[in-house]
Amino acid sequence: MSDTKVTWLTQDAYDRLKQELDEMIENRPVIAARINDSREEGDLKENGGYHAAREEQGQAEARIRHLQELLRSAKVGEAPANDGTAGPGKVLTVKYEGDDEEEKFLLATREEGAEGELDVYSPESPLGKALLGAKEGESREYELPNGKIQKVTLIKAVPYTDAK
């Protein structure tokens, strides 16, 4: 994640992620002690506890790095304008061509919407990229994984804070 992208986070989301990061950093010695204890059990080739602890340590360190980068580049508490334009931090209501149902989702990072009941779509996803900057009533197209083109119309775009 070296290409620093700004992520908009509410103060609640920032605080929750910061708390998770602090807890993971505090837990480092516990994992290290588990690795040490397992190492002392003998033959490392057949030591499942040792390998499990090393795997856990690797996953924890990756999550710590991800959270540090995310929090370092995050914009906190600045809700997007309620201007009817699709963008990160907005709840979008869309309608797909050929479907009568509307779909409502949050355009944001997974971390931002982690505790909500809305589906979260990344602004980097094909749908997210297609809708960025769209105005209410505007239609856009994007490519599906199978190579077909899907047309989608933005019905409504409101800041996440207003949609709760």
Side-chain angles (χ1 to χ4, degrees):
M1 287 189 64
S2 57
D3 58 337
T4 317
K5 290 188 170 95
V6 175
T7 302
W8 176 81
L9 294 173
T10 61
Q11 188 64 52
D12 286 349
Y14 181 90
D15 293 344
R16 180 171 39 79
L17 294 171
K18 178 76 172 102
Q19 180 180 353
E20 179 186 348
L21 175 62
D22 292 344
E23 287 171 6
M24 291 188 82
I25 289 173
E26 284 176 27
N27 198 34
R28 277 176 165 161
V30 175
I31 296 173
R34 204 171 311 139
I35 290 171
N36 235 8
D37 292 346
S38 297
R39 185 182 291 132
E40 291 173 5
E41 291 174 10
D43 185 9
L44 296 181
K45 285 183 193 163
E46 297 178 17
N47 188 332
Y50 172 78
H51 294 290
R54 292 286 301 180
E55 176 72 19
E56 181 184 357
Q57 181 185 43
Q59 290 174 349
E61 290 302 317
R63 181 69 178 157
I64 286 169
R65 285 191 303 277
H66 174 73
L67 288 173
Q68 287 172 331
E69 180 67 26
L70 183 73
L71 295 174
R72 184 178 9 247
S73 64
K75 276 187 158 183
V76 180
E78 298 172 25
N82 192 358
D83 58 5
T85 304
K90 299 270 186 95
V91 174
L92 306 182
T93 304
V94 299
K95 193 170 186 177
Y96 299 98
E97 185 176 62
D99 191 355
D100 294 335
E101 302 270 321
E102 291 182 352
E103 182 180 2
K104 193 178 201 178
F105 60 88
L106 173 62
L107 189 63
T109 63
R110 249 186 216 110
E111 283 82 3
E112 175 61 38
E115 296 193 349
E117 52 300 325
L118 281 172
D119 285 336
V120 180
Y121 289 23
S122 167
E124 297 299 309
S125 69
L127 175 60
K129 284 180 181 176
L131 288 171
L132 281 177
K135 302 259 186 240
E136 290 176 354
E138 190 176 336
S139 293
R140 298 276 179 96
E141 293 181 343
Y142 67 100
E143 190 174 340
L144 297 172
N146 65 8
K148 292 185 177 174
I149 301 297
Q150 175 67 55
K151 189 173 184 180
V152 62
T153 302
L154 180 63
I155 307 298
K156 192 170 186 180
V158 296
Y160 183 48
T161 51
D162 292 354
K164 284 183 183 172

